[in-house]
Amino acid sequence: GGAAMAAVRDVEIDPEGTFKYILVRLQRPGGEEQRDIVRGTKAAEFHNHIFEKVNPEMEKLGYECKCLGGGKIDHNSKDKKIRVFGLSTGYGKADHSVTVEILKKVYTDYEITWSDDKK
């Protein structure tokens, strides 16, 4: 169980630019084991486009997915800065502080901040 979940990357976001993101909770049906992942891409015009891509991928691995909310990520790879802000109209606002903690696991040498600003 744990190995398969560990194989799912904590973060998959575009390497540059400003784009929508969602915070997704993975859970084994009937199991205690759960974890949160961050997904974001410029290719998604709406937050649900991201979820519609992640959900089937995770279902194949045997997880139930729940979107905990969304927002935007501003990723500046040159200055090694990530800013998390905004919200999703459909899913509501993700807990950006949780998102930041997940991002920090991957982008260890970045300055990562969040706010409830809309833009």
Side-chain angles (χ1 to χ4, degrees):
M5 195 174 261
V8 177
R9 289 197 299 208
D10 287 314
V11 178
E12 285 182 19
I13 60 170
D14 285 2
E16 187 66 46
T18 304
F19 44 84
K20 293 181 167 66
Y21 94 88
I22 57 173
L23 186 59
V24 178
R25 176 156 291 164
L26 303 184
Q27 197 156 9
R28 285 276 183 219
E32 286 299 297
E33 186 192 13
Q34 62 175 44
R35 66 180 266 226
D36 298 341
I37 60 171
V38 174
R39 295 290 183 269
T41 176
K42 262 186 275 201
E45 192 184 344
F46 300 105
H47 287 89
N48 62 306
H49 292 171
I50 309 172
F51 189 73
E52 282 160 14
K53 188 174 172 292
V54 174
N55 198 33
E57 287 173 11
M58 296 306 150
E59 281 182 344
K60 274 191 204 119
L61 299 172
Y63 300 114
E64 288 174 347
C65 286
K66 184 178 156 200
C67 184
L68 301 178
K72 284 187 170 175
I73 285 176
D74 182 21
H75 188 172
N76 181 335
S77 53
K78 188 170 63 75
D79 295 341
K80 296 196 168 180
K81 285 184 180 177
I82 294 177
R83 188 168 72 94
V84 186
F85 64 102
L87 54 83
S88 159
T89 320
Y91 295 121
K93 186 175 78 71
D95 185 339
H96 297 326
S97 64
V98 172
T99 302
V100 166
E101 289 313 308
I102 298 169
L103 289 168
K104 279 179 178 169
K105 288 190 216 172
V106 179
Y107 295 95
T108 48
D109 56 345
Y110 268 61
E111 182 193 320
I112 306 177
T113 57
W114 68 272
S115 78
D116 288 329
D117 296 346
K118 297 284 191 289
K119 45 160 121 343

